[in-house]
Amino acid sequence: MFAPITCIGGIWTTDRKGICVSIAEHSPGLLPSPVGKSFVAWLQTVQTASGCTLAEEVAGAMDREKPFRHEHQLMCTNGNSRWVVSTGIPQFDRDGNFEGFSGALTDISEHKGVLERTLRSEAEHRLIMDNCLDLIGHCDASGNYVHVSRSYTVVVGWESEEMVGRSVLAFLHPEDQERARNALARILDGEELAEVIEVRKRHRDNRYILLGTKVRKVTDPDTGAIAGAVLVSRDITREKEMLARIERMAEQNTALIEHSLDITMLLDLEGTILHTNRAVEQVLGYRPDELIGSTGRRFMTEQGYADALGQLKLMVTGPGNLFISDDCLSKDGRTVRLDWSLCHPEGSRLVYATARDVTNMHRTKVALEQAHAQVHTILESIEDGFFSVDRNWEITFANTIAAAFVGIDREASLGKVLWDIADGLADTSVAANLRRAMEMRENMSFEVYYEPAGVWLSERVYAHEDGLSVFFHDISERKHAEARLEQLATRDVLTGLPNRASLNQHVETMLCEQRAGAVIAVLFIDLNRFKEVNDSMGHAAGDCLLKQVSARLQSCMRPGDVVARLGGDEFVVAATCTGRDATAAIAQRLIAALTNPFYVDVVEICVGASIGISLSDQDVETVEQLFQNADTAMYKAKATGESTYQFFEPEMSAEAKRRLQLEVTMRRALELGQFEIHYQPRVDLHGMRLRGMEALLRWNHPELGQISPLEFIPIAEERGHIEAIGAWVLRAACREGKRLCDKYGIALHVSVNVSARQLRHADFVLEVERALGESGLRPAALELELTESALIEDTEQSALFLRRLKGLGATLSLDDFGTGYSSLSYLKRFPVDVLKLDRSFFDEQSVDHGNAAFVEALIGMAHALDLTVVAEGIETTMVMDMLRLAGCDEAQGYVFAKPMSLHTFEEFLQSAKSNGIVRD
């Protein structure tokens, strides 16, 4: 099992004066002969460097008759240098008289070469591991961390020393520990797990980070026993930790090598130990006197000793040298790896032997092999593709993912030029980045679209002395998701038009690039009757209509103009125009396009639009102000009439500010007691008796004074405050109506107006029932006034609500008849009790014979339907008399009394006769 190694080696002796008297050379002729020369002077001639210093140290030791040992280089006669260990031992006769020195030259060049190659391989492994971005952990068979990568600190905040020695389960979320424990147990039992295990790792700040982890078992290469597991989790710093681990291993191995000692022995031809130095005690634990007289059988294995003795017998038949390496057993039972160099000088009956303890070096080699195997396992376990190339672009390593990406077997890729196995790569931006990294010796990371494969790649390139290491993975799904998110962030999902954020950017750019003499026009468009379409035909029909509207708007504009949707039925157009007239033409074109019928599910729909226009030449400083002005003008257009447009005028700002002030202060007006109910009496025209009162809401604004209901009621309905305000009016009117009836002993009806939003509210019937119950008012005494427009928004739902209200016993009144659709079918369809005629039928200007006849016919028709007819807004006795003659039942208006506060209304009740009204 031991093969002789040809190298420098020799045993030498000197006399008392240091003159070399003999030398037994392993390879005669490689060095000048020292025989007959001073050994010190001879060293000076063959030493390659620091020869004088070495010679001085040897001379000093020989002068003091002390042993010496030095490691140095010698220059051979063939011009090559070799590393040797020179040792010398003083010799004394039996009387203790100094006889001279004997020593040996041991060639260690092979060991030096192995060490250099090992360290270079070690550095390569360190580079790969140090640049790995994954989280890499190594646990022993007990499940405790032995090593963890530095990436743990970056990702989860824990330092390595805080984790090593602790269970891998200790850092997991409690809900994940049982699952992870089972998976680890399966691995340690020898099972292979291919799936990625998802666990939540606890961060130092007590939050959890989700990691995808692959686990592979670690086996002893000699025994095959499972020694633990490697855990690889996705992280960007895994390579650095691996490099750190390899560096620590290298430091430990270097320390072991630097502190090694050599053994020197003198043997007879039978292998009996005649002399040994004290290094044997440090290496094998035996004192020199314990081994003298024995053989290598004392510390060598049986087989090792038999093989060595056989080679020794062959060697001693003539001059020769023998180099062997074998495991030995120390006194305490440890296995020690020794490299032996034996030399038999010609004609001598002695054998000179030196042994170097290479146990740590051998272990280091095994550990590096294991580390290399672990690195290979890790690089195969990660979800990245990985490959490395040398300076000639030849593949030195590729994992399975990388090889599969280019469609080649992993083993077949080794040694091949990168550009030859990856079709189309050489002309891509990926190749340009790789060449720059190789040329500049710099690391880089980048994301790029790889044309040959049609995918997006994320690449991390690490430059080192021998070439490049490259990690990459496919990020196409992420890129597609980012593109979708970008679209969602800047586009309206339904129509595909730019949304508000995108519109802001577009208009900002248009303002910055505005040409001299041109203006930027912003047109806010609000569809008319869109809500009716949504409520009557459903949201799917509404969505279909909005898509058609967006298409028509785009068809009306130029390519450079912007059409956007803000939400709901609000659209915005931004265009560069020459002035007000050109903008008006655009608005007219848009209105004309939107006025034409749309068709949804074969149903013809007409909507129209209200447009507000703002121009950039109106002292506008910001995009927001431009939008705000257009919005203000749009509200003005809606108030003016359907399908029209309005340019923003400065005075509109005051109106908008007032409206905004009302919107803001209305939120707490009810809470602060700013609302007040006024009451207007209702009179029986035939007996002039007081029949009831209508509750009318007033707002006493602390800053703006009395606010007209015509102004604040639409705002309350639009901003969703009308339900709360209406509920308060209902409760207060019922409560005060009951109190007045009881106080004055009269039976009064209390009329309360109900908005469309209240009627659609699911709890409105319950609110009416609660108001009646809390106040004690007779249900029939409560008259709820509803408008035609409120009822026709959803006729089926309205009919259902009215029947439920009738079930409570309340009286129902149809208010403002004649101002809306005035359809007689509604009078028959809805269970109303009272018909209130609008004043437009009988104001003073329209009172003539023909109109009186019409009113009389209308009243007769209502009576035929068993409805009570009430006229409102009566201001003159002439109109009152005409209505009495026409058969009208009741009336209210200034001719009797204006709406008045509760206190004033009570005074009116007390003096009703003085007003010509009879109080029952």
Side-chain angles (χ1 to χ4, degrees), residues 423-435:
D423 292 339
L425 171 62
D427 298 325
T428 65
S429 56
V430 174
N433 287 330
L434 294 178
R435 292 189 180 98

Side-chain angles (χ1 to χ4, degrees), residues 173-416:
H173 193 283
E175 295 177 359
D176 297 340
Q177 290 182 2
E178 184 63 26
R179 179 163 49 86
R181 182 183 291 107
N182 294 338
L184 184 60
R186 291 165 62 190
I187 287 292
L188 296 178
D189 286 342
E191 185 177 346
E192 296 288 346
L193 294 182
E195 68 270 18
V196 175
I197 303 171
E198 290 190 359
V199 293
R200 288 166 288 180
K201 184 77 73 174
R202 179 163 55 89
H203 195 278
R204 190 184 182 91
D205 61 10
N206 287 325
R207 59 190 172 91
Y208 286 90
I209 298 175
L210 181 65
L211 299 177
T213 303
K214 283 191 176 182
V215 187
R216 292 291 183 270
K217 64 184 179 183
V218 177
T219 58
D220 189 305
D222 294 329
T223 65
I226 297 177
V230 173
L231 305 95
V232 181
S233 303
R234 291 296 304 166
D235 186 76
I236 61 172
T237 57
R238 53 187 176 275
E239 293 88 357
K240 294 183 180 179
E241 176 56 25
M242 181 56 68
L243 180 58
R245 290 176 58 195
I246 294 177
E247 288 176 347
R248 288 196 296 272
M249 293 169 60
E251 292 172 358
Q252 295 170 0
N253 296 337
T254 301
L256 292 173
I257 294 173
E258 290 177 351
H259 291 84
S260 64
L261 297 172
D262 290 342
I263 299 173
T264 301
M265 286 186 176
L266 184 64
L267 312 175
D268 64 15
L269 298 183
E270 300 299 325
T272 302
I273 299 172
L274 303 177
H275 177 80
T276 183
N277 64 355
R278 298 192 63 84
V280 73
E281 184 174 2
Q282 299 177 15
V283 176
L284 296 175
Y286 292 98
R287 298 191 310 275
D289 60 297
E290 292 181 287
L291 294 181
I292 292 175
S294 63
T295 64
R297 188 190 302 274
R298 185 78 175 270
F299 50 82
M300 299 180 74
T301 63
E302 288 294 332
Q303 186 62 46
Y305 177 71
D307 292 342
L309 188 60
Q311 294 188 52
L312 177 64
K313 289 180 179 180
L314 292 175
M315 182 187 70
V316 298
T317 57
N321 296 279
L322 177 65
F323 292 89
I324 58 176
S325 180
D326 195 17
D327 289 334
C328 298
L329 297 176
S330 67
K331 187 176 181 179
D332 58 7
R334 293 179 297 105
T335 299
V336 181
R337 185 80 174 187
L338 295 179
D339 281 355
W340 291 90
S341 175
L342 294 89
C343 178
H344 175 236
E346 185 177 3
S348 174
R349 298 189 60 81
L350 298 175
V351 175
Y352 298 92
T354 59
R356 165 167 287 187
D357 181 0
V358 294
T359 303
N360 292 327
M361 184 183 297
H362 180 69
R363 290 174 180 170
T364 299
K365 180 181 178 182
V366 172
L368 287 173
E369 290 174 351
Q370 292 175 343
H372 185 272
Q374 291 177 6
V375 170
H376 183 276
T377 299
I378 290 170
L379 292 177
E380 283 295 327
S381 300
I382 63 176
E383 296 180 356
D384 282 0
F386 171 81
F387 65 90
S388 58
V389 295
D390 60 18
R391 303 280 292 181
N392 296 321
W393 298 101
E394 294 179 354
I395 303 291
T396 58
F397 181 87
N399 66 4
T400 303
I401 294 177
F405 185 78
V406 296
I408 190 172
D409 182 72
R410 192 183 71 82
E411 296 296 332
S413 68
L414 301 181
K416 300 291 181 61

Side-chain angles (χ1 to χ4, degrees), residues 431-465:
N433 287 330
L434 294 178
R435 292 189 180 98
R436 185 168 69 254
M438 182 77 83
E439 180 182 354
M440 304 301 294
R441 316 300 305 145
E442 63 180 15
N443 301 336
M444 61 171 57
S445 60
F446 54 87
E447 295 180 354
V448 66
Y449 183 74
Y450 184 60
E451 296 89 346
V455 296
W456 278 92
L457 295 179
S458 172
E459 300 213 13
R460 304 184 303 281
V461 183
Y462 303 96
H464 48 82
E465 182 179 353

Side-chain angles (χ1 to χ4, degrees), residues 732-762:
C734 289
R735 183 176 61 253
E736 295 302 330
K738 171 62 174 174
R739 186 181 65 81
L740 292 175
C741 289
D742 292 345
K743 181 177 180 179
Y744 295 101
I746 55 177
L748 294 176
H749 284 76
V750 180
S751 299
V752 178
N753 290 281
V754 177
S755 73
R757 290 181 66 101
Q758 284 180 277
L759 188 62
R760 291 195 302 271
H761 197 280

Side-chain angles (χ1 to χ4, degrees), residues 544-572:
C544 181
L545 175 60
L546 291 174
K547 292 179 181 178
Q548 293 185 42
V549 168
S550 68
R552 284 200 191 174
L553 291 177
Q554 291 180 90
S555 68
C556 294
M557 304 309 297
R558 300 164 299 184
D561 300 332
V562 180
V563 179
R565 179 177 177 235
L566 300 185
D569 61 346
E570 293 184 345
F571 293 83
V572 177

